[in-house]
Amino acid sequence: MEGSAKHDVGNDNLHGLASKWPLAFDLAGSGASCRLEGEIGDLVVFGEIPKEISGTFYRIMTDPFVPPHPGNVPLDGDGNISAFRFHDGRVDLKMRYVETERYLLERKANKALFGLYRNPFTHHPCVRAAVDSTANTNLVLWADHLLALKEGGLPYAVDPDTLETGVYDPFGQVKSKTFTAHPKVDPFTDELVVFGYEAKGLATKDIVVYALDKNGMKKDEQWIQAPWVAAIHDCAITPNWLILVLWPFEADIERMRRGGQHWAWDYDLPATFVVVPRRKSTKLPDGWKEGEYRVYPWRNCMLIHTAGAWEDGENKLYIETSRVHDNAFPFFPPEDGRMPAPDAKADFVRWELDLNMPSNTRVSDPRVILDMPCEFPRIDERFLTKAYEYIFLDAFMPDKSDGGKNIFHGLNALAMHSSKTGKTRFFYAGDGSLIQEPVFIPRSKDAPEGDGWVIAMVERRDVNRNDLVVIDTREFEKPIAIVQLPFHVKSQVHGNWVDAVCLKDQKSLVREVKPMGISGKGVLEPII
Ligand code: V55
Ligand code: FE
């Protein structure tokens, strides 16, 4: 992201010619548009991929198909999926756009019709009735549908094999206009816990909370009110509780009408947890009334993603999050335009929520688990809702090269942290390399927690190419395999691993050989 010349789009050999693509900060270098669709069978693999790794790594990136509106933000590119299918030590790749209504309209028009992020007043009048979701944030398999998610709208669904876009409409069941990009699977109850904010429309405080059972049927629907029109990107679940994590941005419809951004950071707003019982049958702590939820603020900061949460007795919850001590999205500045400190601190922390405390009690300062910029925390998700030992996340190792100085300039390593031993192991991605969100794959169905493999996409900035690295968690410091991509893909927003047993009808890219010449009946004649 930093403007070193070799990472910029080459300008020297263009003889002064221009294209319709701007060389904007977020579209150049690491952010250069990819727009590739297609497939590669048998990517080049260095090292050996264990045959036990069987399934598909789905990732999604924001990749505008047409040059975006000049005022738009990097969060709003069209969702482009990469699916890496691991089988028999081999890896096949498919890439395809989510064919959202927006993508299809803009591709047909051959220009941007949608304006600013989640601001319909800036969209071209002919598309104001269209869905403006780019479906670019996360891919989650549920009830046999691979959901392409964007928090400002409802899901699209893509075929897990062909990646063809279709519609999945269990949402007639819920009158919400939005669906989080971070729903959580409760592996113990086979439920997908879902919420939506701005659920009754633009800049509304209404939040919906519900669960989908394994067939996609809705249960435990609740409607609550946000303390302000906050951005609620991620959440965490325990067996009985849902914890929403509110960012100190506020949506303002008047600002949108004036052609401004959906969000403005507010240095006077606190990062806030909203704690909601998951179901009517949740046993409430003393003093809680039925239908109650509680709001626990801390101070101004941005808790970007959660690793997990767990219960300790009936009155205490723990939740772990990444934390940036400032606005991590400078493209949504406060009304007075103040920019975040370029050296803003970032870390990974554990919060204790005391459910005996009334709403609006300030949460105690968290315990710092990793005192370095880090992001995209993941755990062995077989243990989601429970206390876990291991966290996998991207980190910035300051004594190593590249990446940059802090969270704004990239993460150059993967970390595996044990809360039992307090030890952290690192995989350094290499000089000139940045690393994207890891996913964990258990060694077997009932392997001990954290025993398995981690897969992550690495960007090789100097050669403008990417590699997928496969790491055995028993020896975290170096990969056992590297899967080479012959080109550059954009940074993923999120990705997930789906085991082959959950994927029906996966077709191999290896075709049957049809007789052509040899049988004498085909169109081709053998040469001898
Ligand atoms: C995020 C990403 C989004 C979005 C809202 O990383 C929040 C957080 C890629 O889109 O729309
Ligand atoms: Fe996210």
Side-chain angles (χ1 to χ4, degrees):
M1 278 163 68
E2 230 168 1
S4 119
K6 74 182 164 192
H7 299 134
D8 285 345
V9 175
N11 231 348
D12 297 345
N13 304 317
L14 295 175
H15 302 276
L17 301 172
S19 86
K20 65 179 182 179
W21 284 86
L23 298 180
F25 175 72
D26 58 298
L27 293 171
S30 283
S33 126
C34 176
R35 300 168 68 244
L36 186 68
E37 294 187 281
E39 53 191 50
I40 303 180
D42 276 314
L43 287 164
V44 174
V45 175
F46 290 81
E48 236 173 277
I49 299 174
K51 297 213 184 343
E52 292 72 28
I53 302 185
S54 181
T56 303
F57 171 51
Y58 294 100
R59 67 188 285 284
I60 191 156
M61 51 198 189
T62 90
D63 195 7
F65 191 84
V66 296
H69 180 288
N72 209 353
V73 299
L75 303 180
D76 220 16
D78 298 300
N80 190 357
I81 301 171
S82 346
F84 292 87
R85 180 172 174 241
F86 285 67
H87 64 102
D88 308 303
R90 297 156 59 175
V91 183
D92 297 331
L93 167 65
K94 284 187 193 172
M95 290 180 62
R96 192 155 182 177
Y97 271 99
V98 186
E99 294 185 352
T100 62
E101 189 173 15
R102 171 180 179 143
Y103 162 88
L104 294 171
L105 285 164
E106 291 192 328
R107 188 163 177 181
K108 191 165 171 205
N110 194 25
K111 63 173 187 197
L113 299 170
F114 293 79
L116 301 184
Y117 178 79
R118 294 173 69 182
N119 182 344
F121 305 107
T122 61
H123 299 343
H124 191 284
C126 75
V127 299
R128 284 213 184 141
V131 173
D132 79 352
S133 166
T134 49
N136 68 5
T137 311
N138 205 353
L139 291 164
V140 173
L141 186 83
W142 194 252
D144 290 332
H145 295 267
L146 187 61
L147 305 179
L149 300 170
K150 179 78 176 173
E151 66 192 58
L154 294 175
Y156 281 87
V158 296
D159 184 298
D161 182 31
T162 64
L163 305 181
E164 224 166 326
T165 304
V167 284
Y168 173 52
D169 185 23
F171 306 106
Q173 299 180 92
V174 182
K175 291 239 168 321
S176 171
K177 296 193 186 274
T178 60
F179 187 105
T180 176
H182 285 291
K184 301 291 175 195
V185 177
D186 183 333
F188 301 96
T189 61
D190 264 337
E191 291 169 294
L192 187 73
V193 178
V194 175
F195 73 91
Y197 70 93
E198 294 187 54
K200 289 194 177 163
L202 203 63
T204 54
K205 286 189 192 167
D206 305 271
I207 301 172
V208 68
V209 171
Y210 57 96
L212 295 174
D213 73 11
K214 64 180 190 311
N215 302 312
M217 297 310 290
K218 176 206 76 176
K219 52 204 272 206
D220 303 317
E221 179 176 341
Q222 303 178 62
W223 287 81
I224 64 173
Q225 289 285 306
W228 73 92
V229 190
I232 315 179
H233 180 65
D234 203 355
C235 68
I237 57 171
T238 70
N240 294 297
W241 301 90
L242 167 66
I243 308 167
L244 303 173
V245 182
L246 279 57
W247 291 350
F249 292 103
E250 188 162 28
D252 174 9
I253 209 147
E254 288 314 315
R255 183 176 56 243
M256 289 185 233
R257 275 189 221 283
R258 292 195 301 269
Q261 295 289 355
H262 188 103
W263 298 118
W265 184 264
D266 184 342
Y267 279 100
D268 294 327
L269 283 172
T272 297
F273 302 96
V274 175
V275 179
V276 190
R278 274 176 57 186
R279 2 181 139 72
K280 279 220 160 64
S281 59
T282 292
K283 188 172 175 300
L284 297 175
D286 287 345
W288 281 64
K289 292 193 270 315
E290 205 187 301
E292 191 177 347
Y293 54 92
R294 289 192 183 179
V295 175
Y296 296 119
W298 187 63
R299 300 169 191 279
N300 187 259
C301 70
M302 191 160 161
L303 310 178
I304 302 190
H305 286 112
T306 67
W310 63 95
E311 297 172 6
D312 181 10
E314 278 176 19
N315 305 325
K316 215 174 265 178
L317 304 180
Y318 288 94
I319 174 171
E320 292 185 326
T321 72
S322 60
R323 171 175 68 169
V324 177
H325 297 235
D326 208 326
N327 173 11
F329 284 175
F331 40 82
F332 296 134
E335 293 277 0
D336 66 7
R338 176 174 158 194
M339 280 291 119
D343 57 349
K345 204 176 140 48
D347 48 18
F348 180 81
V349 296
R350 182 183 305 163
W351 305 89
E352 185 183 303
L353 304 178
D354 182 351
L355 303 185
N356 289 325
M357 300 313 258
S359 255
N360 298 313
T361 309
R362 179 183 281 159
V363 180
S364 323
D365 291 353
R367 179 165 150 204
V368 176
I369 304 294
L370 275 177
D371 191 9
M372 56 169 65
C374 42
E375 239 307 314
F376 297 116
R378 299 295 294 260
I379 64 166
D380 179 340
E381 280 156 17
R382 295 173 300 164
F383 298 88
L384 205 76
T385 74
K386 301 288 172 68
Y388 46 87
E389 176 176 355
Y390 295 107
I391 306 152
F392 307 96
L393 76 181
D394 293 347
F396 173 57
M397 295 172 78
D399 56 327
K400 298 285 192 184
S401 78
D402 276 82
K405 287 157 225 65
N406 65 29
I407 192 87
F408 297 115
H409 298 110
L411 298 157
N412 59 11
L414 274 180
M416 173 176 177
H417 178 79
S418 162
S419 58
K420 275 219 178 93
T421 66
K423 289 213 171 76
T424 310
R425 305 176 75 177
F426 291 97
F427 163 66
Y428 172 56
D431 294 347
S433 301
L434 297 178
I435 196 151
Q436 302 172 19
E437 182 185 42
V439 292
F440 172 78
I441 306 166
R443 199 174 303 275
S444 65
K445 245 179 65 189
D446 37 33
E449 187 198 336
D451 185 27
W453 302 277
V454 167
I455 293 181
M457 180 62 77
V458 170
E459 179 185 4
R460 308 292 187 197
R461 303 212 301 167
D462 294 345
V463 288
N464 199 34
R465 228 184 27 70
N466 286 73
D467 284 332
L468 210 54
V469 295
V470 183
I471 296 166
D472 190 317
T473 60
R474 290 180 185 174
E475 199 188 351
F476 199 74
E477 290 71 16
K478 65 181 182 47
I480 53 166
I482 294 176
V483 183
Q484 261 197 346
L485 268 70
F487 47 79
H488 179 264
V489 290
K490 293 190 71 171
S491 276
Q492 86 200 36
V493 186
H494 290 291
N496 282 297
W497 174 256
V498 178
D499 195 280
V501 299
C502 305
L503 294 168
K504 298 172 189 154
D505 311 322
Q506 278 271 58
K507 286 171 216 84
S508 170
L509 287 187
V510 181
R511 309 282 180 239
E512 288 297 306
V513 179
K514 292 196 189 96
M516 287 187 247
I518 296 163
S519 71
K521 290 181 197 135
V523 278
L524 298 182
E525 284 299 312
I527 205 158
I528 48 165

